[in-house]
């Protein structure tokens, strides 16, 4: 099912009797701060200063940015300056006229002591500051969320404040960071905790069925609609709707979602009668919606409506100090009390050298696999931090003693390199995707979870090679 209703208090959560989650401990937390001086705006001299407290500062001409510039040469969401680990990074969000740092056009660049940004006909001088700091008690866990890093402490503090209100929120973060867990914790600490929580995975529903999933339909509205059916908004009346992967929502349906958010009423497919609903909406995405707005793939008015509050979930690579605590929590959840044998300090230190592109989900899978195999070798192919360039190596643990490295695959060097590479990739994709879909009986969501890959990309590959895909029909009420 693409939608599922449940009481927020009934969400299954692991309960850990873990000493690492207990005790009184305090840590000094710094609040990141940026000083931005606008030196030129739309070609005219300017002398205004903006001070931003927080981990991400959005700059553009749209009113919902943190720093709004009155310049027609600036894109609606031009760029962002965001805290990653212990440094600041300037990221161009698909602007039309580009972002230049100290005269060099960039897509992404690390901010040093200070820098001059040129955006269209405007110029900014940006200087990071350590900001204020405070010694606060460490919250080692917030429900099923675990972490003592500064990034997680800031996330916990944000969740506590947001949960106390009834405001709509947008959660953004990379795949595998735990966005649904964050949404669940927000719901459990809100006044709607006793109400239903209905989850809609916008990335796994056929575009022709999304409207029915969200708003319901009446009998005869379309082929196969043999009875009336309520949608997610009606099912969540008095509770919360969680729109997962909102960035995958077809643009032709976005105005209808916007109307439902603004008026808090829905119309079932096949009828003009509006039904009032009392719901809170929490959305999540791994995409940069600001970039999607600039490209015309996501409506800016819908973005403004959803992003009343932005909650950023940090990737695991930005909080590697939490890795031992996460491993202990997973071991406890799996019922293993001998984690020290599998995950010694030496193994944990080696694990910290991995970038964990799949984030916490990848780590959980790795811990579970290690338990099953009763062995915890370092990740076989990993990105080792060596200066600024990634270096890949194959661990000896993944090769039998004395075994020679496998011979390189045969390639046809009579054709251009690019064509040979495309053929090799196509051969691999066919060999991987075909058996995967057969094993999962054509279920795209299950296959994407098994392969730990993006659903939309998997769908594109399946269509490219003509593999069978199971089409879901709307669940009966």
């Amino acid at each position: 099912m693409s939608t599922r209703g449940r009481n927020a208090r009934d969400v299954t959560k692991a309960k850990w009797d873990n000493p690492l989650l207990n005790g009184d401990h305090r840590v000094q937390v710094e609040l990141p701060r940026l000083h931005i001086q606008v030196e030129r705006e739309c070609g005219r001299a300017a002398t205004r200063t903006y001070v931003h407290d927080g981990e991400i500062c959005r700059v553009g001409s749209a009113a919902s940015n943190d720093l709004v510039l009155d310049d027609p040469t600036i894109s609606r969401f031009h760029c962002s300056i965001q805290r990653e680990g212990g440094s600041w990074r300037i990221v161009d969000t698909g602007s039309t006229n580009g972002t230049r740092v100290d005269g060099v056009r960039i897509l992404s660049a690390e901010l040093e002591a200070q820098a001059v940004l040129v955006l269209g006909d405007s110029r900014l001088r940006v200087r990071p500051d350590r900001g204020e700091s405070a010694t606060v008690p460490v919250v080692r866990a917030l429900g099923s969320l675990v972490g003592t890093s500064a990034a997680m402490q800031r996330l916990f503090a944000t969740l506590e404040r947001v949960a106390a209100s009834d405001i709509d929120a947008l959660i953004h973060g990379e795949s595998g960071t735990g966005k649904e867990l964050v949404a669940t914790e927000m719901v459990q600490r809100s006044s709607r905790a006793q109400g239903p929580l209905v989850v809609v995975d916008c990335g796994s529903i056929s575009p022709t069925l999304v409207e029915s999933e969200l708003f319901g339909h009446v009998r005869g509205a379309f082929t196969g609609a043999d009875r009336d059916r309520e949608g997610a908004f009606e099912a969540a009346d008095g509770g919360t709707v969680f729109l997962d992967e909102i960035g995958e929502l077809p643009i032709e349906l976005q105005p209808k979602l916007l109307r439902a958010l603004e008026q808090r009423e829905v119309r079932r497919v096949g009828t003009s009668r509006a039904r009032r609903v009392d719901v809170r909406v929490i959305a999540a995405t791994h995409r940069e919606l600001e970039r999607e707005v600039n490209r015309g793939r996501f409506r800016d008015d819908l973005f403004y409506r959803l992003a009343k509050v932005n909650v950023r979930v940090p990737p695991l690579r930005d909080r590697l100090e939490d890795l031992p605590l996460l491993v202990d929590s997973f071991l406890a959840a799996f019922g293993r009390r001998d984690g020290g044998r599998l995950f010694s300090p030496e193994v944990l230190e080696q694990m910290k050298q991995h970038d964990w592109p799949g984030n916490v989900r990848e780590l959980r899978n790795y811990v579970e696999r290690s338990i099953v195999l009763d062995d915890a070798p370092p990740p076989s192919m990993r990105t080792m931090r060596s200066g600024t360039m990634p270096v890949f190596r194959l661990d000896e643990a993944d090769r039998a003693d004395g075994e020679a490295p496998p011979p390189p695959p045969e390639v046809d060097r009579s054709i251009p390199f690019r064509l040979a590479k495309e053929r090799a990739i196509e051969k691999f994709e066919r060999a991987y995707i075909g058996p995967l879909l057969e094993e999962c009986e054509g279920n795209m969501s299950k296959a994407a979870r098994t392969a730990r890959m993006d659903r939309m990309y998997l769908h594109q590959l399946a269509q490219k090679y003509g593999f069978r895909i199971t089409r879901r029909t709307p669940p009966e009420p």
Side-chain angles (χ1 to χ4, degrees):
M1 292 178 60
S2 302
T3 59
R4 58 186 185 273
R6 57 192 179 186
N7 188 289
R9 291 294 186 189
D10 295 334
V11 176
T12 302
K13 292 154 55 64
K15 302 298 183 182
W16 305 314
D17 182 17
N18 193 328
L20 285 176
L21 300 181
N22 302 318
D24 185 19
H25 183 62
R26 302 180 72 86
V27 67
Q28 189 172 19
V29 177
E30 293 182 354
L31 302 177
R33 172 175 292 174
L34 284 173
H35 292 266
I36 305 177
Q37 183 178 353
V38 182
E39 298 181 339
R40 186 178 70 228
E41 189 169 4
C42 194
R44 298 183 298 272
T47 57
R48 65 186 177 107
T49 301
Y50 171 72
V51 179
H52 178 80
D53 291 314
E55 291 187 305
I56 180 168
C57 177
R58 295 176 175 85
V59 183
S61 60
S64 62
N65 285 283
D66 300 294
L67 176 58
V68 180
L69 297 174
D70 183 14
D71 185 345
T73 65
I74 298 291
S75 296
R76 285 173 292 184
F77 298 97
H78 198 98
C79 69
S80 65
I81 310 171
Q82 54 197 41
R83 185 80 168 175
E84 293 185 359
S87 61
W88 288 93
R89 180 165 294 275
I90 302 170
V91 180
D92 182 271
T93 50
S95 65
T96 301
N97 293 320
T99 300
R100 287 174 171 80
V101 178
D102 294 334
V104 179
R105 183 162 180 169
I106 59 96
L107 295 177
S108 176
E110 188 168 321
L111 179 64
E112 299 295 341
Q114 68 174 3
V116 175
L117 273 62
V118 176
L119 319 175
D121 286 337
S122 299
R123 184 177 67 227
L124 316 175
R125 187 174 298 273
V126 182
R127 178 174 58 86
D129 187 7
R130 294 177 63 89
E132 298 178 357
S133 61
T135 302
V136 298
V138 172
V139 180
R140 298 182 183 272
L142 190 71
S144 54
L145 300 172
V146 178
T148 59
S149 62
M152 290 303 290
Q153 295 302 298
R154 288 191 289 267
L155 175 61
F156 292 164
T158 299
L159 292 182
E160 291 286 7
R161 291 195 299 269
V162 174
S165 71
D166 209 29
I167 193 172
D168 296 339
L170 176 64
I171 305 170
H172 54 97
E174 298 177 8
S175 295
T177 51
K179 295 185 291 295
E180 185 170 350
L181 289 179
V182 170
T184 301
E185 296 305 329
M186 289 173 62
V187 173
Q188 289 187 322
R189 285 160 175 76
S190 72
S191 60
R192 296 177 181 266
Q194 301 299 330
L197 169 61
V198 179
V199 179
V200 182
D201 189 344
C202 300
S204 66
I205 310 173
S206 170
T208 59
L209 299 177
V210 174
E211 185 175 3
S212 174
E213 292 281 352
L214 291 174
F215 310 127
H217 62 256
V218 297
R219 179 180 178 181
F222 51 83
T223 303
D226 57 353
R227 66 188 69 185
D228 291 355
R229 176 178 179 271
E230 68 177 10
F233 275 76
E234 289 186 65
D237 193 22
T240 307
V241 173
F242 175 53
L243 302 177
D244 197 12
E245 296 302 346
I246 188 65
E248 313 299 331
L249 188 69
I251 193 164
E252 59 270 16
L253 287 179
Q254 293 176 18
K256 297 181 179 180
L257 176 58
L258 176 63
R259 184 173 61 247
L261 294 175
E262 290 180 338
Q263 302 177 2
R264 285 303 194 264
E265 62 180 29
V266 296
R267 293 181 177 87
R268 293 186 179 184
V269 178
T271 182
S272 59
R273 185 168 71 90
R275 301 168 186 261
R276 297 289 300 176
V277 291
D278 174 25
V279 296
R280 181 190 191 185
V281 178
I282 300 175
T285 181
H286 73 282
R287 296 186 181 275
E288 292 185 49
L289 290 189
E290 298 93 337
R291 190 182 299 271
E292 299 299 300
V293 169
N294 288 339
R295 292 174 176 174
R297 299 175 184 172
F298 201 87
R299 291 178 61 101
D300 54 354
D301 47 4
L302 178 57
F303 174 79
Y304 304 151
R305 189 61 181 78
L306 288 170
K308 290 181 177 179
V309 174
N310 275 285
V311 178
R312 178 179 177 268
V313 186
L316 183 55
R317 64 179 176 275
D318 284 352
R319 57 182 191 107
L320 288 173
E321 59 266 44
D322 290 336
L323 193 143
L325 186 60
L326 288 165
V327 169
D328 282 341
S329 67
F330 292 147
L331 289 170
F334 293 135
R336 291 293 295 263
R337 303 296 177 182
D338 57 346
R341 181 178 61 83
L342 283 175
F343 296 94
S344 64
E346 293 76 19
V347 171
L348 290 172
E349 195 59 35
Q350 287 180 316
M351 291 169 64
K352 289 182 180 180
Q353 303 304 312
H354 182 48
D355 274 337
W356 300 102
N359 293 296
V360 178
R361 181 188 295 128
E362 180 186 359
L363 176 62
R364 181 186 177 93
N365 292 340
Y366 175 75
V367 172
E368 185 174 12
R369 184 177 71 236
S370 299
I371 291 174
V372 172
L373 299 178
D374 198 33
D375 185 27
S380 57
M381 185 66 78
R382 65 177 185 253
T383 307
M384 301 294 293
R385 293 176 179 80
S386 177
T388 58
M389 295 297 293
V391 179
F392 295 98
R393 71 177 179 85
L394 183 65
D395 283 325
E396 295 297 329
D398 296 304
R399 188 180 299 154
D401 294 338
E403 179 183 345
E410 295 184 3
V411 295
D412 184 1
R413 279 184 284 274
S414 65
I415 61 177
F417 169 81
R418 181 177 178 181
L419 181 58
K421 178 181 177 182
E422 290 176 352
R423 289 182 178 178
I425 292 175
E426 179 178 335
K427 183 178 180 181
F428 166 77
E429 289 175 343
R430 285 183 179 274
Y432 189 97
I433 300 300
L436 172 67
L437 291 176
E438 183 176 350
E439 177 186 343
C440 298
E441 300 178 343
N443 187 311
M444 295 298 293
S445 296
K446 181 180 179 182
R449 289 193 299 270
T450 301
R452 298 198 296 275
M453 63 186 297
D454 184 78
R455 287 181 296 268
M456 296 299 293
Y457 182 54
L458 176 59
H459 195 277
Q460 292 171 3
L461 290 177
Q463 288 184 325
K464 177 180 178 181
Y465 299 121
F467 292 125
R468 180 178 65 87
I469 303 173
T470 299
R471 297 291 184 184
R472 296 180 176 181
T473 57
E476 295 183 358

